[in-house]
Amino acid sequence: MYRLPDHDVTLEPLTAGHADAVLAFELENRAYFAQSITDRGDAFFEEFPARLAALLAEQDAGICRFHVLVDDAGAVVGRVNLVDLENGSAELGYRIAEKAAGKGLATAAVRALAGLAASEYGLTTLRAGTSATNVASQTVLTRAGFRRVGEDHQNYELTLEGS
């Protein structure tokens, strides 16, 4: 567990104990997320316990590292994940609750996870992507030290130090 500076939030590895809070987070923010990314669909919510179990199995196998941002009341206010860990690299993904957006939380969480990626997971490179119109997400990535790869404003990469 890692407390994010300047935020009343901890970054924690995802566990089965987070199930109810993660589902509540996803349901509460479903319409908000759908404004910038493809909706997960009804099946995601209907099959959530099985999907969470599959994610935890991937995490146990070392394929992915899933994290939640938990506020002082125990509510999940964000998710920050590393997927497809292979050959020292991974894909970064994140989503922040609407009520917590615009306060620097995403940037702080991405920076914190990048530090963990290098120090705890032995990664040397992170990749991330955004939709072409998601300027807020592009801003988070550049503030967290990622550089744009290519000309389309959608693909980003970060070389990690200390790994």
Side-chain angles (χ1 to χ4, degrees):
M1 186 170 9
Y2 175 80
R3 189 136 185 107
L4 295 181
D6 303 320
H7 298 279
D8 293 330
V9 172
T10 56
L11 174 69
E12 305 175 11
L14 178 67
T15 68
H18 293 115
D20 291 341
V22 170
L23 181 57
F25 163 79
E26 293 288 351
L27 285 167
E28 179 180 318
N29 292 284
R30 184 177 183 180
Y32 172 66
F33 294 145
Q35 294 173 18
S36 57
I37 57 175
T38 303
D39 183 66
R40 294 188 185 272
D42 292 339
F44 173 86
F45 300 98
E46 293 164 2
E47 302 165 2
F48 184 78
R51 289 182 180 271
L52 180 62
L55 293 178
L56 293 173
E58 286 183 11
Q59 184 165 264
D60 289 344
I63 299 167
C64 302
R65 298 288 181 189
F66 302 105
H67 301 80
V68 289
L69 299 168
V70 181
D71 69 15
D72 288 343
V76 169
V77 294
R79 297 178 68 183
V80 190
N81 303 313
L82 299 171
V83 298
D84 298 332
L85 279 74
E86 187 175 32
N87 298 323
S89 69
E91 182 83 17
L92 169 82
Y94 54 91
R95 49 182 47 211
I96 302 297
E98 183 175 20
K99 68 182 179 186
K103 300 175 182 172
L105 180 58
T107 301
V110 168
R111 285 179 178 150
L113 189 56
L116 283 175
S119 67
E120 300 295 320
Y121 307 143
L123 299 177
T124 57
T125 306
L126 297 181
R127 297 174 312 280
T130 72
S131 67
T133 59
N134 193 340
V135 176
S137 192
Q138 294 166 16
T139 300
V140 166
L141 292 171
T142 56
R143 284 183 179 160
F146 281 73
R147 63 178 174 79
R148 193 175 78 225
V149 178
E151 297 299 320
D152 62 5
H153 296 275
Q154 292 180 273
N155 297 302
Y156 292 79
E157 189 172 280
L158 176 66
T159 300
L160 300 172
E161 298 179 18
S163 47

mmCIF file of all heavy atoms in Angstrom, residues 54-78:
data_model
loop_
_atom_site.group_PDB
_atom_site.id
_atom_site.type_symbol
_atom_site.label_atom_id
_atom_site.label_comp_id
_atom_site.label_asym_id
_atom_site.label_seq_id
_atom_site.Cartn_x
_atom_site.Cartn_y
_atom_site.Cartn_z
ATOM 1 N N ALA A 54 -10.781 -13.970 -12.837
ATOM 2 C CA ALA A 54 -9.852 -14.155 -13.951
ATOM 3 C C ALA A 54 -8.707 -13.138 -13.887
ATOM 4 O O ALA A 54 -7.546 -13.481 -14.143
ATOM 5 C CB ALA A 54 -10.596 -14.045 -15.275
ATOM 6 N N LEU A 55 -9.027 -11.890 -13.538
ATOM 7 C CA LEU A 55 -7.983 -10.870 -13.401
ATOM 8 C C LEU A 55 -7.002 -11.238 -12.293
ATOM 9 O O LEU A 55 -5.784 -11.110 -12.459
ATOM 10 C CB LEU A 55 -8.600 -9.503 -13.102
ATOM 11 C CG LEU A 55 -9.424 -8.857 -14.204
ATOM 12 C CD1 LEU A 55 -10.003 -7.531 -13.708
ATOM 13 C CD2 LEU A 55 -8.612 -8.648 -15.468
ATOM 14 N N LEU A 56 -7.532 -11.702 -11.177
ATOM 15 C CA LEU A 56 -6.662 -12.076 -10.062
ATOM 16 C C LEU A 56 -5.791 -13.278 -10.417
ATOM 17 O O LEU A 56 -4.630 -13.354 -9.991
ATOM 18 C CB LEU A 56 -7.496 -12.334 -8.808
ATOM 19 C CG LEU A 56 -8.176 -11.086 -8.232
ATOM 20 C CD1 LEU A 56 -9.115 -11.465 -7.100
ATOM 21 C CD2 LEU A 56 -7.156 -10.050 -7.785
ATOM 22 N N ALA A 57 -6.316 -14.193 -11.219
ATOM 23 C CA ALA A 57 -5.521 -15.334 -11.680
ATOM 24 C C ALA A 57 -4.385 -14.857 -12.589
ATOM 25 O O ALA A 57 -3.251 -15.356 -12.489
ATOM 26 C CB ALA A 57 -6.406 -16.347 -12.403
ATOM 27 N N GLU A 58 -4.666 -13.892 -13.471
ATOM 28 C CA GLU A 58 -3.618 -13.318 -14.324
ATOM 29 C C GLU A 58 -2.559 -12.626 -13.477
ATOM 30 O O GLU A 58 -1.362 -12.715 -13.759
ATOM 31 C CB GLU A 58 -4.211 -12.313 -15.311
ATOM 32 C CG GLU A 58 -4.981 -12.931 -16.455
ATOM 33 C CD GLU A 58 -5.491 -11.885 -17.435
ATOM 34 O OE1 GLU A 58 -5.086 -10.696 -17.347
ATOM 35 O OE2 GLU A 58 -6.301 -12.258 -18.292
ATOM 36 N N GLN A 59 -3.007 -11.936 -12.435
ATOM 37 C CA GLN A 59 -2.066 -11.264 -11.550
ATOM 38 C C GLN A 59 -1.200 -12.284 -10.824
ATOM 39 O O GLN A 59 0.023 -12.115 -10.731
ATOM 40 C CB GLN A 59 -2.836 -10.381 -10.560
ATOM 41 C CG GLN A 59 -1.959 -9.571 -9.647
ATOM 42 C CD GLN A 59 -2.732 -8.476 -8.954
ATOM 43 O OE1 GLN A 59 -2.727 -7.356 -9.434
ATOM 44 N NE2 GLN A 59 -3.384 -8.790 -7.856
ATOM 45 N N ASP A 60 -1.807 -13.340 -10.335
ATOM 46 C CA ASP A 60 -1.048 -14.388 -9.647
ATOM 47 C C ASP A 60 -0.027 -15.043 -10.565
ATOM 48 O O ASP A 60 1.041 -15.464 -10.125
ATOM 49 C CB ASP A 60 -1.990 -15.454 -9.076
ATOM 50 C CG ASP A 60 -2.798 -14.955 -7.887
ATOM 51 O OD1 ASP A 60 -2.431 -13.911 -7.307
ATOM 52 O OD2 ASP A 60 -3.808 -15.607 -7.553
ATOM 53 N N ALA A 61 -0.347 -15.115 -11.858
ATOM 54 C CA ALA A 61 0.560 -15.718 -12.838
ATOM 55 C C ALA A 61 1.655 -14.750 -13.288
ATOM 56 O O ALA A 61 2.548 -15.140 -14.042
ATOM 57 C CB ALA A 61 -0.240 -16.201 -14.044
ATOM 58 N N GLY A 62 1.579 -13.486 -12.848
ATOM 59 C CA GLY A 62 2.588 -12.503 -13.215
ATOM 60 C C GLY A 62 2.390 -11.884 -14.588
ATOM 61 O O GLY A 62 3.274 -11.192 -15.090
ATOM 62 N N ILE A 63 1.233 -12.092 -15.185
ATOM 63 C CA ILE A 63 0.941 -11.551 -16.511
ATOM 64 C C ILE A 63 0.565 -10.079 -16.419
ATOM 65 O O ILE A 63 0.854 -9.290 -17.321
ATOM 66 C CB ILE A 63 -0.203 -12.353 -17.174
ATOM 67 C CG1 ILE A 63 0.213 -13.816 -17.342
ATOM 68 C CG2 ILE A 63 -0.629 -11.736 -18.496
ATOM 69 C CD1 ILE A 63 -0.943 -14.741 -17.688
ATOM 70 N N CYS A 64 -0.105 -9.716 -15.340
ATOM 71 C CA CYS A 64 -0.613 -8.355 -15.142
ATOM 72 C C CYS A 64 -0.434 -7.955 -13.685
ATOM 73 O O CYS A 64 -0.270 -8.805 -12.816
ATOM 74 C CB CYS A 64 -2.106 -8.289 -15.496
ATOM 75 S SG CYS A 64 -2.479 -8.801 -17.178
ATOM 76 N N ARG A 65 -0.505 -6.661 -13.439
ATOM 77 C CA ARG A 65 -0.495 -6.103 -12.080
ATOM 78 C C ARG A 65 -1.614 -5.071 -12.018
ATOM 79 O O ARG A 65 -1.549 -4.037 -12.674
ATOM 80 C CB ARG A 65 0.840 -5.428 -11.756
ATOM 81 C CG ARG A 65 2.018 -6.352 -11.786
ATOM 82 C CD ARG A 65 2.003 -7.286 -10.612
ATOM 83 N NE ARG A 65 3.179 -8.136 -10.665
ATOM 84 C CZ ARG A 65 3.374 -9.167 -9.879
ATOM 85 N NH1 ARG A 65 2.482 -9.470 -8.965
ATOM 86 N NH2 ARG A 65 4.448 -9.885 -9.986
ATOM 87 N N PHE A 66 -2.632 -5.386 -11.244
ATOM 88 C CA PHE A 66 -3.799 -4.518 -11.130
ATOM 89 C C PHE A 66 -3.761 -3.787 -9.798
ATOM 90 O O PHE A 66 -3.395 -4.360 -8.774
ATOM 91 C CB PHE A 66 -5.087 -5.344 -11.236
ATOM 92 C CG PHE A 66 -5.181 -6.117 -12.519
ATOM 93 C CD1 PHE A 66 -4.977 -7.485 -12.537
ATOM 94 C CD2 PHE A 66 -5.462 -5.470 -13.715
ATOM 95 C CE1 PHE A 66 -5.052 -8.204 -13.719
ATOM 96 C CE2 PHE A 66 -5.539 -6.176 -14.904
ATOM 97 C CZ PHE A 66 -5.334 -7.545 -14.908
ATOM 98 N N HIS A 67 -4.157 -2.513 -9.819
ATOM 99 C CA HIS A 67 -4.133 -1.671 -8.619
ATOM 100 C C HIS A 67 -5.407 -0.852 -8.525
ATOM 101 O O HIS A 67 -6.009 -0.506 -9.544
ATOM 102 C CB HIS A 67 -2.931 -0.724 -8.661
ATOM 103 C CG HIS A 67 -1.630 -1.434 -8.739
ATOM 104 N ND1 HIS A 67 -1.141 -1.934 -9.924
ATOM 105 C CD2 HIS A 67 -0.732 -1.760 -7.789
ATOM 106 C CE1 HIS A 67 0.013 -2.525 -9.692
ATOM 107 N NE2 HIS A 67 0.280 -2.435 -8.403
ATOM 108 N N VAL A 68 -5.778 -0.533 -7.305
ATOM 109 C CA VAL A 68 -6.922 0.348 -7.062
ATOM 110 C C VAL A 68 -6.449 1.545 -6.255
ATOM 111 O O VAL A 68 -5.477 1.467 -5.500
ATOM 112 C CB VAL A 68 -8.068 -0.385 -6.320
ATOM 113 C CG1 VAL A 68 -8.744 -1.389 -7.237
ATOM 114 C CG2 VAL A 68 -7.577 -1.057 -5.057
ATOM 115 N N LEU A 69 -7.158 2.652 -6.437
ATOM 116 C CA LEU A 69 -6.953 3.849 -5.639
ATOM 117 C C LEU A 69 -8.111 3.910 -4.661
ATOM 118 O O LEU A 69 -9.276 3.958 -5.075
ATOM 119 C CB LEU A 69 -6.939 5.084 -6.535
ATOM 120 C CG LEU A 69 -5.831 5.098 -7.588
ATOM 121 C CD1 LEU A 69 -6.083 6.211 -8.600
ATOM 122 C CD2 LEU A 69 -4.474 5.251 -6.940
ATOM 123 N N VAL A 70 -7.809 3.863 -3.385
ATOM 124 C CA VAL A 70 -8.829 3.781 -2.340
ATOM 125 C C VAL A 70 -8.774 5.029 -1.472
ATOM 126 O O VAL A 70 -7.702 5.392 -0.968
ATOM 127 C CB VAL A 70 -8.624 2.507 -1.485
ATOM 128 C CG1 VAL A 70 -9.690 2.399 -0.398
ATOM 129 C CG2 VAL A 70 -8.616 1.252 -2.358
ATOM 130 N N ASP A 71 -9.938 5.676 -1.312
ATOM 131 C CA ASP A 71 -9.973 6.880 -0.473
ATOM 132 C C ASP A 71 -10.094 6.482 0.996
ATOM 133 O O ASP A 71 -10.228 5.308 1.340
ATOM 134 C CB ASP A 71 -11.061 7.856 -0.920
ATOM 135 C CG ASP A 71 -12.482 7.378 -0.669
ATOM 136 O OD1 ASP A 71 -12.702 6.408 0.099
ATOM 137 O OD2 ASP A 71 -13.406 7.984 -1.240
ATOM 138 N N ASP A 72 -10.057 7.471 1.871
ATOM 139 C CA ASP A 72 -10.069 7.201 3.309
ATOM 140 C C ASP A 72 -11.367 6.571 3.802
ATOM 141 O O ASP A 72 -11.394 5.984 4.878
ATOM 142 C CB ASP A 72 -9.774 8.489 4.083
ATOM 143 C CG ASP A 72 -8.309 8.903 3.963
ATOM 144 O OD1 ASP A 72 -7.473 8.065 3.580
ATOM 145 O OD2 ASP A 72 -8.013 10.088 4.253
ATOM 146 N N ALA A 73 -12.434 6.668 3.015
ATOM 147 C CA ALA A 73 -13.704 6.034 3.380
ATOM 148 C C ALA A 73 -13.786 4.593 2.879
ATOM 149 O O ALA A 73 -14.768 3.909 3.134
ATOM 150 C CB ALA A 73 -14.872 6.843 2.820
ATOM 151 N N GLY A 74 -12.756 4.139 2.155
ATOM 152 C CA GLY A 74 -12.744 2.774 1.640
ATOM 153 C C GLY A 74 -13.325 2.619 0.248
ATOM 154 O O GLY A 74 -13.410 1.507 -0.269
ATOM 155 N N ALA A 75 -13.702 3.724 -0.375
ATOM 156 C CA ALA A 75 -14.265 3.672 -1.731
ATOM 157 C C ALA A 75 -13.136 3.662 -2.760
ATOM 158 O O ALA A 75 -12.117 4.342 -2.600
ATOM 159 C CB ALA A 75 -15.175 4.866 -1.979
ATOM 160 N N VAL A 76 -13.326 2.905 -3.831
ATOM 161 C CA VAL A 76 -12.391 2.926 -4.945
ATOM 162 C C VAL A 76 -12.693 4.168 -5.776
ATOM 163 O O VAL A 76 -13.831 4.393 -6.182
ATOM 164 C CB VAL A 76 -12.504 1.641 -5.791
ATOM 165 C CG1 VAL A 76 -11.724 1.769 -7.097
ATOM 166 C CG2 VAL A 76 -12.004 0.439 -4.997
ATOM 167 N N VAL A 77 -11.671 4.980 -6.013
ATOM 168 C CA VAL A 77 -11.825 6.199 -6.811
ATOM 169 C C VAL A 77 -10.989 6.132 -8.090
ATOM 170 O O VAL A 77 -10.949 7.095 -8.850
ATOM 171 C CB VAL A 77 -11.488 7.466 -6.001
ATOM 172 C CG1 VAL A 77 -12.492 7.665 -4.868
ATOM 173 C CG2 VAL A 77 -10.054 7.425 -5.491
ATOM 174 N N GLY A 78 -10.350 5.004 -8.310
ATOM 175 C CA GLY A 78 -9.578 4.839 -9.531
ATOM 176 C C GLY A 78 -8.958 3.474 -9.623
ATOM 177 O O GLY A 78 -8.899 2.726 -8.645
#
